[in-house]
Amino acid sequence: MAELLTAEQMRAVEGTAITSGEVTGLELMERAGMGVVAAVFQQWPELGAAAQRALVLCGPGNNGGDGFVIARLLRGKGWEVEVFLLGDPAHLPADARVNFDRWCAMGEVYELEPGLEPSTRRATLVVDALFGTGLSRPIQGLGATLADLRDVRGTGAAMAPGERQDWTPLIVAVDLPSGLCSDSGRVLRDDAPGGPAESPEAASAAADLTVTFHARKLGHVLAEGPELCGRVVVCPIGLEPRRARGGRDDRVTEVLAPQVPAKGAAGHKYDHGHALVLTGGFGRTGAARLAARAALRVGAGLVTLGAPGAAQMECAGQITALMLRRVEDGDDLSLLLDDGRLNALCIGPGLGLERARDLVSVALDADRATVLDADALTAFGEDADALFDLLHEGCVLTPHGGEFARLFPDLDDRLAAPPDTGPAFSRVDAAREAARRAGAVVLLKGPDTVIAEPDGHCAVHAGVGERAAPWLATAGAGDVLSGLIAGLMARGLAPFDAACSAAWLHVEAARAFGPGLIAEDLPEALPGVLRALYA
C-alpha cells in the first residue's frame, strides 16, 4: 500500500529534508519542474518530437516557482513559452523569486488579470502552476480562467496527435488543479451571500494530467479530486519516507492490491473457515443469499444461511453449495453459535429492522468476526451508542452515506459543510472518527471507499480513473461486498485487511464483467479475478 499525504504532512517531509541539509528548497523546485516536463513528454510523446507553444500560469507561491522552472526548461527545448503571473513578483517566496529572475533573463512575464481564457492563447500545452497543496480558501477573481480550463480539459487529450489543433490545448496541473482542496478532494467554493460573483462551477481548474511530488495527496483520490485531476503521476524528488508522529496511527494508505491467501493442497474445508449469513423473512432473502454466495466464492470453506422457518423453502429453492439452518430468533442463533467452527458472521443484508434488533446483540455477544451492514446498522439509527457498546474489535461496519448519517449525524453535517468554512474535513476524517467512536473497523462506501481502524490507520480504495466501475451502482452490490468481507475474515484475515481486500476485489470483479453487471454477476466474476492473482 502507498501512503497518501495531507498538505501538512508533505510540508513536514520537505521541511525535514531541508532542515537536515539533505537538499535545498531551490533544488526541490528544480527537480519538481524537471519531473513535470518529463511526465508531459512521457504522457504525450508527440510533444517531444518538435518544438511547440506553451502557456504557463504561475501563482504567488512555490507552485508558481515550479511553473517558472517548467517554462525555462521548455524554452531550453526550443518551445515558444508565454508566462503569466498572479500577484506581485516582489512578494514571491525566496526560491520562487530566484526562478522568476531566471525566467526573466529568457522571456517576459505578463500579469495574470481577470478574464484571461487560456484556450484563446493558441498554446499546445497549458501549465496550471497557480495554486498547489497549500490552498485553503476559494480562489477569487479568476473565475473566467478556471472555467475555461474546465471547459477545454479533455478536448485536446481526446484527439489523435495529428488531429489536435492549437486551440485544443493539453492541460497539466502542478500538484493539483488550482482550487481543489488537497486534504478533502473538494472544490473550494465561495457560495456565501456577498461572496465574489463567481460561478461555483468555476471555482476550480481541471487537468488532463496532474503531476504531484513524492506521494499522492488525499485530494487526488477523494471526492471531486479524481474527476478534476485526470491522470495522476507521482514524481520522486529525492525525499525520504515520512516519519509518523504522535500516539495514534495517522497513516492513510491507498489500497493497491488485496490479501487473499491461497489454499494448500492438503487443506480441509474447515481450515478455511465457516461463515454464517443471517437472512430476513419470506421475500427478503435475496440480499443475504448474495452475501453468502460471495463469501463462498472468495474461499470460505463453508457458508451457512440462517433463515426463519417461513423463508426456508424460498432459500432452499435458490441454493446448492450453501447450507441452510433455521434461525427464528435470538435463542436459535445462540444455540447455533455453540458450534465454535462458525468463525465469521454477516448480519444485516435484507434482515429487517425488527429481526436485526433481536439478533444483533446475540451475534455480537458470541465474539466472532462480524460484518454489520444495512438493517443491522439502521436498526440502531436512533441509539447508535447502544450499538457501539455491543461492538468488539472483530467487527466491521459497512455503512453507505445514508446509514453513516443515521449513526454519525454530526460527522455527516461536517462532511456536508462547505470546505472553506474551517479546517478541511474529509471522508477520511469522518471514517477515522467513526471508527474511534465505534471501537471497530468502519468501511464508508463510495467510489472513494474509506476503511478506518479505531487506532487511526486509514486506507482508501478509489474506484476511479483506470479502476472506475460505474456498474457497481446496482441493487445488491453492497450485499456482495459484505459477504466478501465475511468470507475473508472466515479465512483468517484481520477485519481491516479483510475490508481493504474485499473493496479491491469488489471493484475488480465489476471491471472484469463490465457493462450490464447485476449483483448476481459479481461472485461469478471472482474466479477469474482470483486466478489472475494466483498466477
Side-chain angles (χ1 to χ4, degrees), residues 44-58:
W44 300 297
E46 67 274 13
L47 297 188
Q52 311 278 340
R53 175 176 169 81
L55 174 69
V56 183
L57 306 177
C58 297

Side-chain angles (χ1 to χ4, degrees), residues 407-448:
L407 291 175
F408 307 99
D410 59 320
L411 300 181
D412 185 65
D413 286 345
R414 292 183 67 185
L415 280 176
D420 56 293
T421 57
F425 190 78
S426 70
R427 283 168 56 84
V428 163
D429 298 312
R432 179 177 274 154
E433 175 59 19
R436 186 195 66 79
R437 291 183 193 178
V441 170
V442 171
L443 181 149
L444 178 54
K445 296 174 185 174
D448 50 347

Side-chain angles (χ1 to χ4, degrees), residues 326-337:
R326 180 169 179 162
V327 177
E328 200 71 51
D329 53 26
D331 290 338
D332 287 345
L333 178 58
S334 181
L335 184 62
L336 182 57
L337 291 175

Side-chain angles (χ1 to χ4, degrees), residues 42 83 95 121 130 189 194 268 272 276 286 335 380 383 479:
Q42 184 173 15
V83 178
D95 294 333
R121 309 304 295 186
L130 288 168
R189 296 180 173 91
H268 185 272
H272 305 294
L276 172 66
L335 184 62
F380 291 87
D383 190 5
D479 305 317

Side-chain angles (χ1 to χ4, degrees), residues 37 41 51-58 67-84 103 106-110 121-127:
V37 172
F41 289 154
Q52 311 278 340
R53 175 176 169 81
L55 174 69
V56 183
L57 306 177
C58 297
F68 293 123
V69 174
I70 295 165
R72 174 167 47 82
L73 295 174
L74 290 175
R75 174 62 64 86
K77 294 180 179 297
W79 282 48
E80 181 182 351
V81 182
E82 191 175 26
V83 178
F84 284 82
W103 168 254
M106 304 175 71
E108 295 287 333
V109 175
Y110 302 99
R121 309 304 295 186
R122 308 187 76 79
T124 307
L125 180 71
V126 174
V127 179

Side-chain angles (χ1 to χ4, degrees), residues 353 357 375-388 402-409:
L353 299 183
R357 284 187 284 265
D375 290 339
L377 303 177
T378 301
F380 291 87
E382 299 294 323
D383 190 5
D385 288 338
L387 175 61
F388 301 158
E403 291 155 354
F404 188 88
R406 286 188 283 274
L407 291 175
F408 307 99

